[in-house]
Amino acid sequence: MIFDEVNVLLPCQSLEEFPSHLQGTDAEGLLAGWSAIWHPALIAATGRMPAWRRADAVIEVTGKLIVVPAAAERVMMEETAARAQTDGGRLIIGLYRRADIVAALLAVLDEARNAGEMPAARPNIVVQLVADFLALGTCHLYGELLARRMRYGSTVDEPRLQTHTIAAANAAVAGDAERARSELTLAFGVLLEGRGKYYPVDASLVDLTLVAGTTIGASLRKELAPLKGTVLFCSADSAKGDSPRDAAKGDSPQDSAKGDGPRDAATAGSAHSPSAAQPINLLISADVLSQMAEREPASLTALREAIERETVALVGGELDEAELPLLEPESVLWNLTAGLAEYTRLLGRRPVVYGRRRYGLTPILPPILFQLGFRGAVHFTLDDGRFPQADGGKSRWEGLDVMGIDALSRVPLDASLPGSMLGMAEKLGHAMDHDHVATVAFAHWPSQGNIFYDDLRRAAAFAPVLGKFVTLESYFADNSSSGSYSKFTPDQYRTPYLQQDVERGKPDALSRWVRQQRRCLAADACQTIATLVSLLRQSDVTNKELRTEVERSISTGGGEIDGRLADQLSAAIGQFAAALPREKKTPQRGYLIVNPASFKRRVLVELSELKTLPTDELPVLAAEEIGGKRRAIVELPPVGFAWVAAAGDTPIREWSGDPIASSLLLRNEHCEVRIHAETGGIQSIHDYKARANRLSQRIAFQRPPSSVSTGATTASGDEFAYSRMVADSIETTDAGRLFGEITSRGRLLDPEGNPLAEFTQRVQMTLGSRVIAVEIELNPLVPPDADPWKSYYACRFAWAERAAELARDVHLANQPSSAKRIEAPHFLELQAGAKRIAMLTGGLPYHCRFGSRMLDSLLVVHGETARKFRLGIGIDLPHPWSAALEFSAAEAMAVEMAAPPMPARHSWLFHVDARNVAATHWEPIIAGEPAEAAGDSSAGAEIQAAAGSILGFRVRLMELEGRGGRVHLRSYRAPKSARRTDFQGNATGDLAVEKDRVLLDPGAFEWMQVEVYW
């Protein structure tokens, strides 16, 4: 039979009702059916362009070759199928893959040829040309759908389109490839003119090729074949799935078998063919890049060559995709700085656009990225977790402070899924309506896009009908700011880390963060003390490798680092002791206590090495001897030291107050804590200004209702009460006048009285301190279930004030929170009017809030091995962040046989007069170092010194309470000049110096770097 038309049936009455929401094989069948009928052999045979028809209407089938996708088959009129059998039409039904549909269509033509009803010779068409025609069909559908999404009818000049399309098909059948491509170019131009009638500027299309450690071989080299522009989007993690939201499975045998050529006529023209060459974007972490250098040097060579050709723009920035929201600020900066150095080492250049596949967005990033020289960022990840989206595709992403960076916020479509491509026109139309620069991004693993995405890229090589593929570098460089600003609250971000760790069987999902926080504080202490030694000696003794080991330990476990940290801290204190000037007196045994923090501290020190108590003058505030133990409360100056020795012949006065602990009560001058006689938990905390209970505490086991036996009862709201805390014994284990402790031992029971766990809880209080320490030892007898947010052992806090507002730390900064699941590695704070009470979490990051008056700090979840925990409760703390750091700080103390330091036995070396500002890092400025040479301000230009000599110091200061203003940074040695720099060491402005002071004006939550020169 002679066929005069080729059609596809659609399950809609008009293109305004086109089912763009379909997924899976339904979506693939629709796109395949529409595009397959644009095969040049079919167009040449019929002499006309293909068309679509309604599936729910009776149509004329005589002389028609009709493709019926599955979605249309379900609504197709039975009469249509019957007519096809009687009237000589042909229906292609039950197929959804384009290759199969094309094969079936060509088979029908072959039948007609064999029957003498069509030209006898089957055309020998260039394979690449077939792919171009199919791309034209796909692009035509997208254009029609987009026009209607933009509230227009068809805007395409159909007669011209038909003329050029038929001419191209005839040329292709005749073997005239050059003429065919010329006519195809004109056909694509007609589509472009149609789009120009409702959106006259180009949209931006962004290809994100995801790369993991398992996809750095042949598939990646295939993507890096010489194209006109490439950007690599690469993850640091090992991959486990085919979706861009998972890591890739690696280079499969199928990929190897495919080679670089087309699979068949229907799918030919992948992104690697010359006509389809378009810029792509590769996001690659430095850690994956290192793996590439080690395991796949050919891929690294290909990447270097692509960079030399300027066809690859890197996106990334970090050394590895660590859990940034839970890290210390200095750890976040280290990860990025180390990553950029690794890029430069391996590739000779660094990314200027930041991005990552795994979840890790946090409000601290914008100012860090800006100061590290990034031009833009992608404000989305392709992992689990929650993050906010800006109204437009591109906006100015601001962090906690006012500093921001341009960011692309539009979540990419999964280019491997037909459903994503079916809805592409809807997404692009939304972007055209709302974006300053209409932008749609696509994500896929190397060589893992689908044929319809290949169609889109191939079409863009002829004309930017739907938009122009761009690199993110050019996207941020060429497009001016949209004028839109996005400032998101920390509660709008929620990490998936706890759930992921438990599901993946990663041990110690909670306690590893406690260990990491303590390691970072110990490393900071080592760095600060070593900096003081370097400045006093005028020679550098800092150990930069130590920080690298600490940061690496979060992913490796790194238990051996704890011993090295202790040794390094001890060595640093010894060097500091040796660098101090001493009185000309007979050496005596004493304690040298160093305070690396930028704030004043009071510490309780056990003085077992002293034969008598020290005198009660500064730095000693109080001393006592009890049970053969000598101890004192010592005041430590900021970034300074205190030296404590026995009083000798000097009269001493032992502290004569009442014991801190007695019976079920602990008291000091700030509050009193009552222990519950039945549970052993904290029954109440009272200050001396009001009678109301400030806070209660107990240990609890939480399980979802489905896991609990019948006798359990529901407490209130979304809380499920399962355990009872029962004390078997309560005793006062330290009744000192400087320090008191009450120890409770008992069990957790279920509602039927069955044991769930055994516990020991110690509640401790120190004279003069606003912090109550709670130490818990837990022996679970019933393990938690696999869902860590619903089944766990926890330290449960309860308060009376329903209207109390809760805040949490975000990288130490105090931020309000109304979330139910909370991440706070340092502290949470309740505020009711002028009353404030803080929970110091000691590194435990995960907390779950119940209603308005209860909060659980998670201690043990599935797979957790830690059994000892330490938390704190702070009463009316003026600065919770400093109390939290002090609570987890490493002890920096040494016993020495030496003369007392001079001119004073306690002194600061640096002083920050604003208690809302923390110094996060100190280091010496060394002549000739890259950071020192980067600046060009007068402060650095005036310095002339031999390489390696100490010029001054560098410090990073962070405002943590949202109160910017004048800050004085004082130095033990009068500075000559000072300047601000960014995190690359580039000078951004000179600072005023007055005597021993440097004058600073940080903004709210600003993190700044300052260089001070002698």
Side-chain angles (χ1 to χ4, degrees):
M1 177 180 182
I2 297 177
F3 295 101
D4 59 11
E5 189 173 339
V6 184
N7 296 156
V8 61
L9 297 190
L10 299 182
C12 55
Q13 297 182 12
S14 67
L15 290 181
E16 284 81 358
E17 301 170 358
F18 186 84
S20 300
H21 62 281
L22 295 179
Q23 299 292 323
T25 56
D26 282 347
E28 184 175 1
L30 277 183
L31 286 173
W34 179 288
S35 57
I37 61 179
W38 286 72
H39 194 287
L42 299 172
I43 297 173
T46 60
R48 62 192 304 173
M49 283 199 322
W52 72 274
R53 298 286 183 267
R54 289 172 50 182
D56 62 349
V58 178
I59 61 174
E60 175 61 47
V61 298
T62 304
K64 304 294 188 294
L65 186 52
I66 302 172
V67 176
V68 186
E73 184 181 0
R74 289 193 288 270
V75 299
M76 183 178 68
M77 299 290 289
E78 294 182 2
E79 189 174 345
T80 300
R83 284 190 174 188
Q85 294 180 354
T86 59
D87 295 352
R90 183 68 66 89
L91 303 183
I92 306 298
I93 299 179
L95 303 176
Y96 67 91
R97 295 188 184 279
R98 188 162 74 181
D100 297 337
I101 296 173
V102 168
L105 290 168
L106 296 181
V108 173
L109 288 187
D110 287 342
E111 291 177 12
R113 292 188 186 96
N114 294 335
E117 298 167 345
M118 303 285 289
R122 182 173 182 177
N124 185 18
I125 305 170
V126 177
V127 170
Q128 299 293 345
L129 284 176
V130 173
D132 292 339
F133 277 91
L134 302 184
L136 177 65
T138 301
C139 190
H140 181 246
L141 173 62
Y142 289 152
E144 291 296 291
L145 296 177
L146 181 60
R148 286 155 177 82
R149 172 61 180 77
M150 298 300 292
R151 298 161 296 279
Y152 280 76
S154 178
T155 57
V156 174
D157 186 339
E158 292 288 343
R160 284 179 58 212
L161 177 62
Q162 178 158 284
T163 298
H164 293 306
T165 301
I166 295 172
N170 290 332
V173 169
D176 189 348
E178 183 177 351
R179 172 70 187 282
R181 287 197 175 95
S182 176
E183 292 292 340
L184 277 173
T185 301
L186 294 173
F188 277 106
V190 173
L191 297 181
L192 177 61
E193 290 177 13
R195 194 261 293 165
K197 293 177 182 177
Y198 57 84
Y199 196 80
V201 296
D202 285 338
S204 293
L205 305 179
V206 178
D207 177 291
L208 302 176
T209 302
L210 311 177
V211 182
T214 52
T215 61
I216 54 178
S219 63
L220 178 59
R221 290 192 291 275
K222 198 173 181 181
E223 290 284 350
L224 294 174
L227 303 176
K228 294 182 179 178
T230 304
V231 182
L232 207 46
F233 193 105
C234 178
S235 148
D237 297 321
S238 298
K240 66 172 187 178
D242 289 329
S243 166
R245 296 185 64 85
D246 302 309
K249 292 181 178 177
D251 299 314
S252 64
Q254 293 88 339
D255 288 337
S256 301
K258 292 173 189 173
D260 290 331
R263 295 186 289 276
D264 51 53
T267 58
S270 69
H272 314 290
S273 69
S275 64
Q278 293 298 315
I280 64 174
N281 296 274
L282 303 185
L283 170 72
I284 181 166
S285 74
D287 189 50
V288 170
L289 196 62
S290 299
Q291 295 177 47
M292 187 189 300
E294 181 179 350
R295 298 183 353 233
E296 295 285 351
S299 296
L300 184 65
T301 300
L303 182 55
R304 286 172 177 160
E305 291 173 352
I307 291 174
E308 288 296 322
R309 294 192 303 268
E310 297 184 351
T311 61
V312 170
L314 299 168
V315 178
E318 298 167 69
L319 184 64
D320 57 30
E321 293 188 336
E323 298 91 335
L324 296 189
L326 301 182
L327 296 183
E328 306 296 306
E330 285 293 335
S331 296
V332 176
L333 179 58
W334 178 90
N335 200 336
L336 284 160
T337 303
L340 294 178
E342 188 71 356
Y343 285 105
T344 303
R345 183 182 73 86
L346 293 173
L347 296 176
R349 64 165 295 170
R350 49 153 286 184
V352 295
V353 176
Y354 170 81
R356 55 184 283 154
R357 184 195 66 83
R358 189 187 181 204
Y359 189 92
L361 297 175
T362 171
I364 201 176
L365 275 174
I368 297 177
L369 297 177
F370 181 82
Q371 295 192 74
L372 284 175
F374 285 89
R375 296 179 195 162
V378 290
H379 187 261
F380 57 77
T381 57
L382 301 173
D383 194 8
D384 298 325
R386 185 181 69 188
F387 54 87
Q389 287 185 255
D391 293 335
K394 179 185 177 185
S395 64
R396 188 75 173 175
W397 176 26
E398 291 186 354
L400 295 178
D401 64 358
V402 297
M403 199 174 293
I405 188 170
D406 286 344
L408 174 63
S409 300
R410 189 74 72 208
V411 177
L413 299 174
D414 187 341
S416 67
L417 299 179
S420 295
M421 300 310 301
L422 189 68
M424 195 275 292
E426 177 69 23
K427 296 292 185 182
L428 183 56
H430 178 82
M432 288 178 173
D433 274 340
H434 295 89
D435 291 1
H436 179 69
V437 178
T439 308
V440 175
F442 304 88
H444 63 93
W445 296 103
S447 304
Q448 294 297 317
N450 68 58
I451 56 175
F452 310 111
Y453 181 60
D454 291 344
D455 288 349
L456 182 63
R457 296 181 63 187
R458 179 172 291 276
F462 285 94
V465 177
L466 299 168
K468 180 180 179 181
F469 278 91
V470 297
T471 66
L472 285 173
E473 278 192 10
S474 62
Y475 177 77
F476 288 112
D478 298 341
N479 296 319
S480 59
S481 175
S482 66
S484 172
Y485 290 83
S486 299
K487 194 174 185 71
F488 305 112
T489 66
D491 275 357
Q492 292 178 278
Y493 299 87
R494 189 171 72 192
T495 75
Y497 303 139
L498 178 58
Q499 193 78 39
Q500 288 178 345
D501 286 351
V502 172
E503 288 176 353
R504 296 169 184 175
K506 198 167 187 176
D508 296 343
L510 305 177
S511 61
R512 70 189 185 103
W513 295 108
V514 177
R515 293 192 294 270
Q516 187 65 13
Q517 185 180 109
R518 291 175 181 171
R519 288 169 183 168
C520 288
L521 290 174
D524 289 340
C526 291
Q527 172 68 28
T528 301
I529 296 171
T531 297
L532 297 179
V533 175
S534 299
L535 297 177
L536 292 172
R537 287 184 175 179
Q538 286 296 292
S539 63
D540 184 26
V541 299
T542 56
N543 181 1
K544 295 180 174 59
E545 296 302 318
L546 184 66
R547 187 77 196 201
T548 299
E549 293 183 53
V550 168
E551 298 300 342
R552 283 296 198 180
S553 70
I554 190 61
S555 57
T556 63
E560 67 281 355
I561 187 61
D562 296 318
R564 284 200 291 277
L565 274 170
D567 293 342
Q568 186 70 28
L569 184 58
S570 177
I573 296 171
Q575 291 174 326
F576 181 74
L580 288 176
R582 301 284 180 162
E583 297 179 4
K584 295 181 179 179
K585 291 185 178 180
T586 303
Q588 63 182 119
R589 187 168 295 277
Y591 284 78
L592 180 66
I593 311 167
V594 184
N595 178 21
S598 59
F599 49 86
K600 181 173 64 176
R601 297 171 55 197
R602 289 184 178 182
V603 296
L604 179 70
V605 182
E606 299 287 341
L607 304 173
S608 58
E609 296 294 323
L610 300 186
K611 294 183 179 179
T612 64
L613 291 175
T615 180
D616 61 345
E617 60 185 20
L618 287 177
V620 176
L621 302 178
E624 73 168 354
E625 184 170 354
I626 180 172
K629 294 191 294 186
R630 286 171 287 278
R631 56 194 177 195
I633 295 176
V634 180
E635 183 173 282
L636 302 179
V639 198
F641 66 92
W643 196 77
V644 179
D649 296 333
T650 305
I652 62 173
R653 180 164 59 92
E654 189 174 356
W655 188 257
S656 58
D658 294 329
I660 296 288
S662 61
S663 185
L664 298 176
L665 197 67
L666 297 105
R667 297 171 57 98
N668 68 5
E669 62 270 45
H670 298 297
C671 65
E672 66 176 29
V673 179
R674 185 169 296 277
I675 306 301
H676 199 289
E678 296 178 0
T679 67
I682 295 177
Q683 177 176 327
S684 62
I685 300 176
H686 294 273
D687 59 32
Y688 303 121
K689 299 176 183 178
R691 298 183 62 180
N693 177 22
R694 301 286 298 275
L695 193 75
S696 299
Q697 174 274 337
R698 63 184 175 95
I699 304 169
F701 180 51
Q702 182 80 6
R703 255 189 179 182
S706 59
S707 305
V708 185
S709 57
T710 318
T713 58
T714 301
S716 62
D718 54 357
E719 176 199 8
F720 191 82
Y722 183 55
S723 67
R724 292 186 294 119
M725 184 179 181
V726 178
D728 296 326
S729 67
I730 302 175
E731 60 179 324
T732 300
T733 46
D734 196 316
R737 293 182 291 274
L738 301 187
F739 176 82
E741 178 184 82
I742 295 178
T743 301
S744 308
R745 293 179 174 86
R747 295 157 294 143
L748 297 184
L749 306 178
D750 69 12
E752 285 78 31
N754 301 312
L756 298 169
E758 299 168 340
F759 73 85
T760 299
Q761 177 167 296
R762 298 177 178 87
V763 182
Q764 303 164 345
M765 180 179 283
T766 303
L767 181 70
S769 175
R770 293 183 176 273
V771 175
I772 303 150
V774 180
E775 293 185 352
I776 298 172
E777 293 183 29
L778 197 61
N779 178 28
L781 304 177
V782 176
D785 296 336
D787 189 336
W789 286 108
K790 294 182 179 179
S791 181
Y792 53 77
Y793 289 90
C795 180
R796 177 164 294 176
F797 300 98
W799 55 93
E801 292 282 351
R802 292 184 179 274
E805 297 179 351
L806 184 66
R808 64 181 174 110
D809 87 274
V810 178
H811 303 286
L812 289 175
N814 196 314
Q815 294 290 304
S817 177
S818 59
K820 179 180 178 181
R821 296 178 181 179
I822 300 173
E823 289 131 9
H826 296 94
F827 69 87
L828 301 109
E829 186 181 43
L830 286 166
Q831 185 168 1
K835 294 182 179 180
R836 301 164 67 186
I837 190 163
M839 286 77 81
L840 310 182
T841 62
L844 290 168
Y846 302 114
H847 317 273
C848 192
R849 185 172 183 176
F850 291 109
S852 59
R853 298 191 301 110
M854 298 183 70
L855 180 111
D856 284 353
S857 289
L858 277 58
L859 303 177
V860 177
V861 296
H862 187 78
E864 178 60 58
T865 63
R867 296 297 180 258
K868 295 183 179 180
F869 314 92
R870 186 168 183 265
L871 299 96
I873 302 170
I875 306 299
D876 297 325
L877 295 174
H879 307 284
W881 64 267
S882 60
L885 291 179
E886 183 175 359
F887 189 73
S888 300
E891 184 181 78
M893 181 173 64
V895 181
E896 59 177 0
M897 194 70 180
M902 61 176 295
R905 299 190 179 194
H906 62 100
S907 177
W908 55 262
L909 283 83
F910 297 106
H911 184 275
V912 180
D913 69 348
R915 289 298 302 272
N916 59 313
V917 175
T920 63
H921 177 79
W922 302 86
E923 64 178 296
I925 298 175
I926 304 168
E929 67 176 358
E932 185 271 329
D936 58 358
S937 76
S938 59
E942 294 174 359
I943 302 298
Q944 300 293 330
S949 60
I950 305 297
L951 304 180
F953 65 90
R954 182 178 297 111
V955 61
R956 285 191 281 273
L957 300 168
M958 179 179 282
E959 201 286 318
L960 295 170
E961 297 175 11
R963 298 183 287 112
R966 176 56 56 92
V967 175
H968 295 95
L969 170 63
R970 299 182 66 188
S971 169
Y972 74 97
R973 179 177 173 182
K976 181 179 181 181
S977 59
R979 66 184 182 186
R980 285 193 60 165
T981 71
D982 60 20
F983 291 156
Q984 301 177 91
N986 299 310
T988 58
D990 292 336
L991 296 170
V993 174
E994 295 179 357
K995 298 182 179 179
D996 65 347
R997 291 174 168 82
V998 177
L999 277 57
L1000 309 170
D1001 292 286
F1005 300 114
E1006 184 177 1
W1007 196 14
M1008 64 167 59
Q1009 183 164 285
V1010 175
E1011 292 183 353
V1012 179
Y1013 292 86
W1014 306 133

